[in-house]
Amino acid sequence: MNDFLLASLATDRSSDVLSWHDRIQIALAIADADLLKSLLANCTPPIAQPHRIGGIHSTIGIPVSSGVAADGVIEFEEIHCVLADSMPHLEQEVASYSRRYGNQRGYLDLIRCETETRTLGQMMPLAQAIATLTEANFTTAQVEKILNLPLDSWFKSWWYQADAAGEFTIPFLRLLRSRHYADGSITLQYKDFFAHEQPPCFKGCRRQVIVEILPELREFPMTLAKINLERQQTSITSALLISDRISDLAARALMSQGISVYAAHEIALPTQADCCHCATPDCPMRGNPNSPVLLCQRFCLEGLTD
């Protein structure tokens, strides 16, 4: 797939080799979920924990004002709550929670507080309602039961929300119900019962991160000013700087301004490719003398394959 995406970069092998900045931006544009998660989890300081990153994608070249564009924006779901896997595991977690917090009434202490009824989806098509529940990891049987509940009945499920360390250890009870309308649409509603802190959302919240790629010659004040302008214009507070070379002093200064730093050498950059001599076995462009591909992350010469 990456080969076809890169094919649109050039149709002439005599084209100039792209700059380091452009190659990083291309890698960001065609990055898979694992690389994007690595950018967020392995930067300093980390922006998100790997197990709390859900759906993720990136966009490059985002205009923010006249003549100024952010190199990229990463958008992802930061997960705050997860559905409990099984009752035996839940019982172990409840016992552990009881020991930590000294509650004497077990499950009763965990559900002593109640939220108001909240709407998960308003008048959704059936397919969307099924997808919403499936994405929350309900089984097919559970989804069917939720969508076919008698009037004024609720479906009970146990969940965990993240603790201060970001681990899913705090159990709470969640009730769901469905409302059906004459046009076939469905509204999903839920309310939570919890011990101390109210779950912040149903499952996760969307977050955005500005990505700036630091050319070797740009001065520190210019870099900081550009990132701050981008944050101001987009209302995105999180920012990530990808740099090939940066001093410890400059890195500390950026981090003090709420900007995370990622070492560019950890990104697998596309290299200049020659499909006619490439040894990658499963690439459809392999051996094609007329291939338009200029750069490729999988290019490998004969004799260098595993």
Side-chain angles (χ1 to χ4, degrees):
M1 180 62 72
N2 284 353
D3 298 318
F4 290 111
L5 290 172
L6 286 168
S8 64
L9 296 175
T11 57
D12 186 352
R13 287 195 179 277
S14 64
S15 299
D16 293 336
V17 176
L18 296 173
S19 68
W20 176 85
H21 175 280
D22 289 345
R23 293 174 65 198
I24 291 287
Q25 202 167 29
I26 290 170
L28 183 65
I30 64 176
D32 57 19
D34 289 338
L35 174 56
L36 295 178
K37 287 181 180 180
S38 175
L39 290 174
L40 300 182
N42 297 326
C43 57
T44 306
I47 293 174
Q49 297 168 299
H51 67 282
R52 295 187 62 186
I53 299 175
I56 186 170
H57 70 273
S58 62
T59 308
I60 64 170
I62 309 297
V64 295
S65 65
S66 178
V68 178
D71 288 330
V73 170
I74 296 175
E75 184 173 353
F76 70 102
E77 179 188 25
E78 185 170 40
I79 299 173
H80 293 279
C81 310
V82 295
L83 185 64
D85 290 333
S86 64
M87 283 306 298
H89 183 264
L90 173 66
E91 290 169 357
Q92 294 176 4
E93 289 293 333
V94 169
S96 174
Y97 184 88
S98 299
R99 288 192 298 271
R100 289 198 306 271
Y101 293 97
N103 61 318
Q104 302 300 317
R105 301 187 303 158
Y107 287 96
L108 293 178
D109 276 351
L110 295 178
I111 59 175
R112 61 190 182 89
C113 302
E114 179 182 350
T115 67
E116 62 183 11
T117 299
R118 292 181 280 186
T119 299
L120 177 59
Q122 181 73 36
M123 300 188 71
M124 300 182 294
L126 175 61
Q128 184 180 349
I130 294 174
T132 299
L133 295 171
T134 301
E135 288 173 3
N137 291 328
F138 285 108
T139 66
T140 302
Q142 290 172 327
V143 171
E144 184 176 352
K145 189 171 183 179
I146 294 170
L147 295 178
N148 292 282
L149 288 170
L151 188 65
D152 295 328
S153 295
W154 295 81
F155 180 86
K156 296 181 179 180
S157 58
W158 281 93
W159 291 63
Y160 300 110
Q161 63 173 313
D163 56 25
E167 301 298 328
F168 297 111
T169 62
I170 304 177
F172 66 95
L173 179 66
R174 172 166 287 166
L175 273 60
L176 292 100
R177 69 180 180 184
S178 56
R179 289 285 183 268
H180 295 257
Y181 302 95
D183 61 359
S185 63
I186 299 172
T187 290
L188 295 174
Q189 296 177 319
Y190 71 100
K191 59 181 176 180
D192 297 331
F193 296 81
F194 58 98
H196 301 288
E197 185 175 348
Q198 176 177 322
C201 57
F202 183 78
K203 180 186 175 186
C205 298
R206 302 303 300 179
R207 286 188 59 189
Q208 291 181 307
V209 180
I210 289 174
V211 180
E212 184 70 14
I213 303 168
L214 178 63
E216 294 183 26
L217 300 180
R218 183 186 295 166
E219 297 180 358
F220 170 78
M222 295 175 59
T223 298
L224 182 58
K226 185 172 185 290
I227 293 175
N228 284 336
L229 174 63
E230 292 164 357
R231 293 199 288 195
Q232 180 183 36
Q233 294 294 323
T234 62
S235 299
I236 300 174
T237 57
S238 298
L240 170 66
L241 178 74
I242 299 176
S243 176
D244 187 31
R245 298 174 185 174
I246 186 171
S247 68
D248 290 341
L249 182 62
R252 288 199 299 269
L254 288 166
M255 287 185 279
S256 73
Q257 300 299 306
I259 301 169
S260 296
V261 179
Y262 189 93
H265 61 77
E266 297 184 20
I267 299 177
L269 293 176
T271 59
Q272 190 168 2
D274 183 352
C275 294
C276 193
H277 298 94
C278 182
T280 303
D282 59 345
C283 177
M285 287 294 185
R286 181 187 178 188
N288 184 353
N290 298 315
S291 169
V293 176
L294 176 66
L295 301 173
C296 181
Q297 289 178 312
R298 303 177 61 201
F299 176 65
C300 182
L301 292 172
E302 294 286 353
L304 298 180
T305 55
D306 295 335

